[in-house]
Amino acid sequence: FFLWWRSSTGWRERMQNRRGQRPETASSYFVPQDDKQRAPGAAVCSRRLLLLVLAAATALLLQSSSTIATTLSSSSSSSSSAKSVMAATTTPPAERTVDDRLAHVETLLEELRPEPRLWTPALAPQAEVAKAKAEHASLGLLSLGGRAGDAFLVGVRASTGTVDAVSPASHPSFSYTMPLKDASVKLHWADSGRVPLPLDRTAQGFHHLGDLTLRVRKAGSAGGYSTHSTVSRKPPLATAAAEATLARDGLSSSVDASRCLTPPLPFGRGLALRREVRVAGAEATLSLTITNSDPTSGVEIGGLGLSVPFNQMFTGRSLPQVAQRCSFTEVYLGGEAGYVQVTRTTGEGPVLLVLPLRRDRREDVGAENRSASGWRGFEGWRPLKQEDRANYDWMHEMLYEVVVVHSEAYARAEWRGAAPWAPPSSATLPPGGSATYGLRMILARDVESVGEALLAAGVPVATPLPAATLHADMTDARLHLSTPKGLEVVGSPRSDPPGCLEAAPLSGGTAAAHALRLRPVAVGRCRLTLRYRWGPAADRRGELLQFVHYNLLEPAAALLQRHGDFASTVGWLPGNGSDPWHRGPGYMGTDADADGGRGGALLYDPRVFMAGHSDESGASAPLAMSVKQLGLPSDAEVGKLEEYVHETLWAGASGRRSSFLQGADHSVRLSMLYWNDAMDKDPSGPARRALPALYDHCHKCWASCKKGRDCCYWMHCWSEEHSLETWRAYNYPHVTVGYWSLYRVARHISPPPTKRAGWRWYLEQAGRTAVAMHTFGGRGTSQWGLMVGSIFVAVLADLRREGLTALADELEAIKERRMRKWMSMLFPYGSEFPWDSTGHEEIHSWLLHDGKVADANKTVQAVLAYSTVVPHWAYCGSARRYWDFTINGKTQWGNEREFHHYGATLNAVAVLDSFRAFPERHYLLRLGACALLGHLSNIHPSGAYSMAWHGDPGLLRRDGFSGDYGPGVYGYWRSAAAYVACMPPFGWSCFLCDLAVEGEAGGGAASASAAKACDAGANLRVTPRDAFGRRAYLAPLGLTVTVEGGRLVEVELQPRGRRAVLRVAVHERARSSEASVFLEVERRDGRAPAPTSAYSCAYDEAAYPCSGRKAGAFVVPLRVGEPTRVILQASASGSAPAS
């Protein structure tokens, strides 16, 4: 088995690294995982197969032979591995099941499992390393590492001992940290004056890696904590430390930084501080030792944080510069298993992982050796607001401080209004005592190898399936725990609040893999605390704590329908003529806090984006309600949408342009909310009567303004002339979705719930609006990828299906012109800003549509840079957004991390489209599931939608305004499906669905080992749990099944038989006599068993063939009360199913 393992893993590549050779790397991640390396020859494959067969045969022979077990027990030289084999084989063979035998094989293989090793990249050519070291010297940095066998080249500032360059040895010219100086970037920073200056962080007041912030008080005191930091720009300034000393081997530095800590403690004799930095092979460490210099008084540490200023500041840079120089920083607040992940903006490796300094489990943490007690994990992620002189404009999210170990002082002060992610703690330094805190830095090969790197570093890895957000009706949720060798899971997890999540062990676990079945009990946030122990010792010194953060929600369909009911009542503005801007009838944004928490329509906000039916925020409510009809249709809601379309949106030939959102030329205006002289000069007029608060706000700046237009803040009180401008291409996709949704509803629900126009009119309106996007957006905003722009791909497909060829050709020509722009760019995910996370969805959709797979993958890799997979519901899948609360939010604390903003589900479109094309990339499925499941957490108990969760540790709650939530609902609809896939080592897995694995047809329940092994002969019974229940992706067949007009209740999949049986039911609020079933083979790796044309369709136990086609779909009848069984069968001519 060892010989097989060595030949089939990256053993050769590791040997190349040890010899200083540069290994071959895959330039395209879009190929299946198994094909990343050079394909081995037939002889090598045969040898690997033979070795694996021999290993399995030997293991099974050991199981069935009690004689061998007896021989092993009598041998005085038997190893611990042999003893474990003997103990497990004493059971007579007749009494042991297949699962028992296979479980024992896994135990035997676990004994043979080699110790994982940290990854070290190949060293760059010496000329590159020497150039980087020379650059360090010019900046006053000491160079550590950068030799053969080192993973890092680190630059330590000689004057302070802080770290100002962290480079992978393979890329010495690139650093993850903020640069100390950069003449190419000109910007403002605090106290820099009015003229932009080149970036220079050598002065006081800037945070560097290794800076420290403490909150302390005298031990035993009940008073407040005082704050002390090594960073200050207010008197008294920190005195520079003595020069750092460099070890002879060039791998470590040390400095007494006591004088850097200011202001002095208000009690005792102060604290001594020593910084040490070391590069040791595959890792680098930064440690700070704090010593209480007072011989009589103890010091309580209530807050301790280390600055981690990695380079995610895009201000003053172009997109190519951002891609070449910058990184994204993400945190997992998992206690001792927590880490900070730093990924280059291109999504390429290596990936930097920053871990808590390893605690020596043999250390006596009591007072005997005068050391502070407590564990060394990550408790918080604190933004350094106004504590650093760096520029805080909208292109700089924030610098952060990872709160290592202790956060009690913050929990009692700034964070007291929020429930913290981790239990806050404090520690006491006894008189003369000391404690060492710090960080470890390691590298992962790429984002999909982070788990492997953590295990190699001795850190357990928790894998929530399908994600860390669960719905209450999910019965197949699991938590898989992978542990490094020697680390054992101890006891059952503890939930907080108590009982919020039930966890029961699953059979088939091994020493290296432990699995739990989870059942949601309560609704809301739920933290699981996991305990591990190193080795056989049972005392606390060998324990390790890990936090896994869950959010438990009501069933998805119930949540989304509650929003539909809320939007149709509280959020509905009737068309009674009382609104002077003619915004009714229409769906409006809402304030969840209004009317005592019952919510209210948002009509009064002076920001023109919020309540003018246009832009991402104003268009959100009609966009969301349009999308909802595609999976949870309601006759009443469709009627209101038609009112909005024909009386507020579409002016037509006879409508007055100023009273409608869209003109007869299909142009879409910037906003329907505006201000003008007539309104301002009439204090008793309709504007004042309708919205007195808006009148007062606009009148303040308009009354004294002489130019007669745009007299207020740039987002407030636009002139009517400005509001009628039509150049912004971003406003067109939302309107297109409204028309297209009504087309699909009218076409595929029978009888149609639409009454004011037929399906053809709605489809043509969608197509002409898509064309108008380019006509009026021109060479400006239409050249970028647009939020919700993937709808244009769907419109083009339906125009072709329905025979509207001329309009389809026009839209196709526009796509080609835009494509030429994208392909001329260095990175095909451009934006109007230096960086943005909103264009990827549309651009990737078109690239994949046109078969430009390599370019599409570049876009996906860019998403992987800022959207990560961690066992934390808020961070997992939350694509990076941080300025939108200022634009559209109710609570505005400046730039602030947003959880599950619309960017999360829009970016999941690219991620999950790529997964369906290449289903070997399971990381993409996990990431996309996090984004989709987390999105519905934005719905308040009342049914009001929030634009996102606040990420500031002092808030950690939903925002009150709905804001720009609509694109998020679109992104959810666009990717929502029941995803069924084989996911080694977890076996058959179901995402956004529940899965029951049964044996061969008629054979009953399958064994646990068969499920884990992904037996292609098993029957897979799938129950969708997403909000829409309209789609299933069956990875073994590479087949996507989409149902319109009905909802999927269950899917039964037989991979080996290339057969799927659907149970399709009638929608409760929009009953149809028939449903349309669309089939699409999306798999692009050449391993799909059969093309779409190979599938036949029948219903009612295959007694009746599906009645013809409608717009490319099979048509099946529906009945009230009993779901229709629809059988999809691929012909025998298809190739064998993928396993």
Side-chain angles (χ1 to χ4, degrees):
F1 177 78
F2 173 76
L3 293 174
W4 169 79
W5 169 83
R6 192 182 73 170
S7 67
S8 60
T9 63
W11 176 81
R12 284 187 176 84
E13 184 172 312
R14 289 195 296 273
M15 292 301 294
Q16 288 177 333
N17 287 345
R18 292 179 62 183
R19 299 186 185 115
Q21 302 172 11
R22 187 184 297 272
E24 263 191 51
T25 57
S27 59
S28 299
Y29 280 87
F30 60 84
V31 298
Q33 189 77 17
D34 295 339
D35 298 334
K36 282 187 180 180
Q37 305 300 325
R38 185 190 300 272
V44 176
C45 290
S46 299
R47 184 168 68 250
R48 291 180 183 175
L49 181 60
L50 177 61
L51 288 169
L52 182 58
V53 170
L54 288 173
T58 304
L60 291 173
L61 179 62
L62 286 173
Q63 293 224 11
S64 60
S65 174
S66 58
T67 305
I68 292 179
T70 305
T71 303
L72 288 172
S73 64
S74 63
S75 173
S76 59
S77 62
S78 61
S79 65
S80 60
S81 297
K83 289 178 181 178
S84 67
V85 173
M86 176 196 68
T89 54
T90 53
T91 305
E95 299 179 12
R96 305 180 66 210
T97 66
V98 173
D99 275 351
D100 292 333
R101 293 171 183 268
L102 291 175
H104 177 63
V105 171
E106 291 181 343
T107 303
L108 176 62
L109 297 183
E110 168 62 18
E111 295 290 339
L112 299 174
R113 182 164 62 111
E115 192 74 30
R117 300 181 59 185
L118 290 170
W119 179 71
T120 302
L123 185 65
Q126 283 300 317
E128 294 183 27
V129 177
K131 182 179 179 181
K133 289 184 176 181
E135 178 69 16
H136 287 183
S138 70
L139 295 171
L141 305 181
L142 305 175
S143 295
L144 308 184
R147 304 179 181 182
D150 293 333
F152 293 100
L153 174 63
V154 174
V156 177
R157 197 174 181 191
S159 60
T160 61
T162 54
V163 177
D164 279 281
V166 178
S167 305
S170 55
H171 299 77
S173 62
F174 171 84
S175 176
Y176 297 101
T177 58
M178 287 274 286
L180 197 59
K181 291 184 177 182
D182 191 339
S184 68
V185 177
K186 294 185 178 181
L187 70 168
H188 295 279
W189 63 82
D191 305 327
S192 68
R194 301 182 64 179
V195 179
L197 298 175
L199 178 63
D200 186 345
R201 302 176 61 249
T202 58
Q204 287 279 2
F206 292 96
H207 281 254
H208 305 266
L209 183 60
D211 274 315
L212 172 73
T213 302
L214 286 172
R215 288 197 175 180
V216 299
R217 65 184 178 185
K218 188 175 182 179
S221 170
Y225 294 91
S226 59
T227 301
H228 309 268
S229 175
T230 58
V231 178
S232 176
R233 56 188 174 96
K234 296 179 181 178
L237 290 177
T239 305
E243 289 287 318
T245 58
L246 182 65
R248 289 185 178 181
D249 59 6
L251 297 177
S252 64
S253 68
S254 177
V255 65
D256 182 354
S258 303
R259 289 181 295 170
C260 292
L261 194 62
T262 60
L265 265 65
F267 58 88
R269 297 186 180 180
L271 299 174
L273 176 65
R274 174 162 290 276
R275 286 193 185 105
E276 294 186 11
V277 182
R278 173 175 293 275
V279 175
E283 67 178 80
T285 58
L286 166 65
S287 63
L288 293 95
T289 300
I290 305 171
T291 302
N292 180 8
S293 302
D294 194 285
T296 60
S297 300
V299 176
E300 179 187 341
I301 302 176
L304 190 152
L306 297 180
S307 304
V308 284
F310 296 111
N311 190 12
Q312 56 183 19
M313 186 178 75
F314 309 145
T315 304
R317 302 182 189 272
S318 64
L319 181 60
Q321 288 175 326
V322 167
Q324 293 164 5
R325 298 293 186 93
C326 298
S327 300
F328 289 101
T329 307
E330 193 68 289
V331 69
Y332 164 44
L333 296 172
E336 288 181 283
Y339 58 90
V340 176
Q341 178 174 323
V342 189
T343 310
R344 300 170 67 183
T345 50
T346 59
E348 300 171 348
V351 175
L352 175 66
L353 300 176
V354 183
L355 319 174
L357 191 66
R358 185 193 295 271
R359 177 172 53 148
D360 187 349
R361 60 182 182 275
R362 297 166 297 180
E363 176 190 3
D364 182 0
V365 296
E368 293 180 5
N369 70 343
R370 308 165 75 84
S371 171
S373 63
W375 47 279
R376 305 290 197 266
F378 290 168
E379 285 188 7
W381 186 237
R382 192 173 76 89
L384 296 170
K385 291 186 176 180
Q386 308 306 321
E387 296 180 37
D388 185 276
R389 294 175 66 190
N391 188 290
Y392 286 98
D393 76 356
W394 56 279
M395 274 287 102
H396 181 205
E397 175 183 350
M398 193 66 65
L399 295 181
Y400 285 93
E401 173 187 79
V402 60
V403 181
V404 184
V405 188
H406 308 307
S407 59
E408 179 70 28
Y410 295 102
R412 290 170 176 259
E414 297 97 320
W415 303 353
R416 65 184 179 275
W421 294 125
S425 71
S426 62
T428 299
L429 280 175
S434 65
T436 299
Y437 304 91
L439 305 171
R440 297 170 63 202
M441 291 180 281
I442 63 172
L443 293 176
R445 190 187 311 272
D446 51 48
V447 292
E448 297 179 55
S449 303
V450 167
E452 299 170 19
L454 292 171
L455 289 172
V459 178
V461 175
T463 305
L465 297 181
T469 302
L470 300 175
H471 290 291
D473 56 349
M474 288 181 168
T475 61
D476 189 35
R478 292 170 282 162
L479 177 61
H480 292 267
L481 307 176
S482 301
T483 56
K485 198 167 186 178
L487 189 66
E488 303 170 350
V489 180
V490 179
S492 299
R494 184 178 73 250
S495 62
D496 183 28
C500 57
L501 195 60
E502 291 183 355
L506 281 170
S507 61
T510 67
H514 189 77
L516 300 169
R517 175 85 68 189
L518 304 179
R519 187 178 74 86
V521 176
V523 172
R525 283 172 49 184
C526 179
R527 181 178 63 238
L528 286 186
T529 301
L530 305 166
R531 294 170 56 234
Y532 303 88
R533 182 175 60 231
W534 288 101
D539 61 312
R540 288 181 56 83
R541 289 174 295 179
E543 286 194 353
L544 181 150
L545 292 181
Q546 179 179 18
F547 302 131
V548 179
H549 303 270
Y550 279 89
N551 199 354
L552 311 178
L553 309 176
E554 296 176 60
L559 268 178
L560 193 55
Q561 186 55 61
R562 182 181 302 155
H563 170 66
D565 295 339
F566 176 89
S568 296
T569 52
V570 175
W572 178 254
L573 178 66
N576 54 18
S578 62
D579 185 72
W581 296 274
H582 308 283
R583 293 174 295 175
Y587 287 103
M588 304 297 296
T590 57
D591 178 1
D593 302 327
D595 194 17
R598 288 184 288 271
L602 193 59
L603 306 175
Y604 54 83
D605 197 284
R607 288 171 287 186
V608 292
F609 305 137
M610 298 289 292
H613 280 317
S614 200
D615 202 270
E616 289 72 62
S617 185
S620 272
L623 171 63
M625 291 304 292
S626 297
V627 167
K628 179 185 174 294
Q629 308 315 308
L630 298 173
L632 280 176
S634 161
D635 290 342
E637 292 168 4
V638 170
K640 286 180 179 286
L641 279 171
E642 285 201 291
E643 278 189 68
Y644 162 72
V645 166
H646 293 277
E647 299 175 33
T648 302
L649 171 61
W650 174 242
S654 58
R656 194 164 67 94
R657 185 68 178 89
S658 61
S659 300
F660 292 86
L661 181 62
Q662 186 178 30
D665 57 359
H666 295 88
S667 63
V668 179
R669 63 191 287 185
L670 296 184
S671 179
M672 290 186 71
L673 185 64
Y674 57 86
W675 203 248
N676 58 32
D677 290 336
M679 291 177 174
D680 191 72
K681 293 176 180 178
D682 188 358
S684 59
R688 178 64 184 268
R689 290 196 303 271
L691 298 174
L694 179 65
Y695 179 91
D696 292 342
H697 181 91
C698 294
H699 180 69
K700 286 180 181 178
C701 49
W702 198 273
S704 59
C705 178
K706 297 181 180 180
K707 60 182 180 179
R709 103 170 236 149
D710 304 335
C711 299
C712 306
Y713 181 57
W714 71 275
M715 290 190 294
H716 297 180
C717 311
W718 282 357
S719 66
E720 184 174 9
E721 180 187 6
H722 191 174
S723 76
L724 286 168
E725 293 174 7
T726 60
W727 54 267
R728 193 171 189 270
Y730 294 93
N731 296 334
Y732 290 76
H734 315 127
V735 176
T736 303
V737 170
Y739 288 128
W740 185 80
S741 297
L742 289 173
Y743 151 71
R744 297 284 279 199
V745 167
R747 187 70 163 120
H748 298 289
I749 293 180
S750 183
T754 53
K755 307 300 181 186
R756 301 182 68 159
W759 65 261
R760 182 178 293 273
W761 186 86
Y762 285 118
L763 179 57
E764 288 182 340
Q765 284 290 98
R768 297 192 188 285
T769 303
V771 170
M773 175 275 301
H774 188 265
T775 302
F776 295 94
R779 297 187 179 183
T781 51
S782 70
Q783 65 183 310
W784 310 118
L786 306 177
M787 293 82 87
V788 189
S790 59
I791 189 61
F792 299 143
V793 183
V795 170
L796 178 63
D798 279 326
L799 289 173
R800 297 275 185 220
R801 289 192 189 106
E802 302 288 10
L804 300 174
T805 306
L807 189 52
D809 290 344
E810 192 174 356
L811 184 56
E812 186 97 45
I814 289 172
K815 179 264 297 183
E816 291 296 333
R817 290 195 288 273
R818 299 175 74 205
M819 183 72 72
R820 285 194 291 272
K821 169 67 177 180
W822 300 335
M823 300 309 296
S824 70
M825 300 172 64
L826 180 60
F827 302 100
Y829 47 87
S831 169
E832 57 185 332
F833 302 141
W835 175 85
D836 205 346
S837 60
T838 55
H840 305 63
E841 161 240 341
E842 186 196 3
I843 292 177
H844 182 272
S845 297
W846 281 122
L847 291 170
L848 208 57
H849 172 272
D850 284 10
K852 301 181 186 297
V853 179
D855 295 297
N857 186 67
K858 287 183 182 179
T859 308
V860 172
Q861 286 303 126
V863 175
L864 299 191
Y866 56 78
S867 194
T868 55
V869 174
V870 291
H872 192 308
W873 70 269
Y875 288 93
C876 188
S878 274
R880 196 59 56 96
R881 302 294 296 182
Y882 48 85
W883 64 74
D884 298 270
F885 285 135
T886 301
I887 305 296
N888 296 315
K890 182 175 185 178
T891 302
Q892 301 175 36
W893 283 20
N895 282 4
E896 179 193 353
R897 182 62 194 275
E898 303 160 18
F899 297 139
H900 296 294
H901 180 261
Y902 76 71
T905 57
L906 285 191
N907 282 274
V909 170
V911 168
L912 289 171
D913 280 5
S914 185
F915 167 75
R916 293 194 300 274
F918 303 100
E920 301 287 339
R921 295 188 67 183
H922 306 129
Y923 182 92
L924 300 182
L925 178 55
R926 292 175 55 202
L927 177 61
C930 279
L932 298 188
L933 287 165
H935 170 75
L936 291 184
S937 69
N938 290 322
I939 300 178
H940 290 266
S942 64
Y945 240 107
S946 169
M947 61 179 290
W949 285 73
H950 285 275
D952 190 284
L955 291 172
L956 299 183
R957 58 169 173 79
R958 302 177 185 92
D959 191 71
F961 282 178
S962 57
D964 47 7
Y965 79 102
V969 182
Y970 171 85
Y972 180 93
W973 164 83
R974 176 65 168 70
S975 298
Y979 289 86
V980 185
C982 173
M983 183 178 291
F986 311 123
W988 287 119
S989 299
C990 208
F991 287 71
L992 280 76
C993 47
D994 285 329
L995 176 66
V997 182
E998 303 171 349
E1000 297 278 357
S1007 66
S1009 57
K1012 188 173 182 180
C1014 296
D1015 180 8
N1019 286 348
L1020 310 179
R1021 197 171 295 275
V1022 178
T1023 304
R1025 297 298 187 198
D1026 67 285
F1028 294 115
R1030 62 183 289 272
R1031 186 160 64 161
Y1033 176 71
L1034 313 176
L1037 305 181
L1039 180 68
T1040 301
V1041 180
T1042 303
V1043 174
E1044 300 284 14
R1047 60 184 179 89
L1048 276 173
V1049 177
E1050 185 182 79
V1051 180
E1052 182 183 343
L1053 172 64
Q1054 298 171 12
R1056 182 169 293 160
R1058 299 188 295 277
R1059 176 185 173 93
V1061 180
L1062 321 177
R1063 294 179 66 226
V1064 183
V1066 173
H1067 286 298
E1068 294 181 3
R1069 301 195 183 191
R1071 297 183 175 182
S1072 177
S1073 61
E1074 61 185 30
S1076 303
V1077 180
F1078 291 85
L1079 305 183
E1080 183 181 4
V1081 174
E1082 296 189 74
R1083 190 164 187 166
R1084 291 173 178 258
D1085 57 5
R1087 301 175 63 190
T1092 305
S1093 58
Y1095 285 89
S1096 63
C1097 175
Y1099 63 93
D1100 285 353
E1101 307 303 332
Y1104 306 100
C1106 298
S1107 57
R1109 297 271 186 150
K1110 179 196 291 186
F1114 292 112
V1115 179
V1116 297
L1118 296 181
R1119 297 180 293 270
V1120 176
E1122 180 183 359
T1124 300
R1125 284 174 55 87
V1126 181
I1127 298 93
L1128 304 174
Q1129 178 68 61
S1131 63
S1133 61
S1135 59
S1139 62

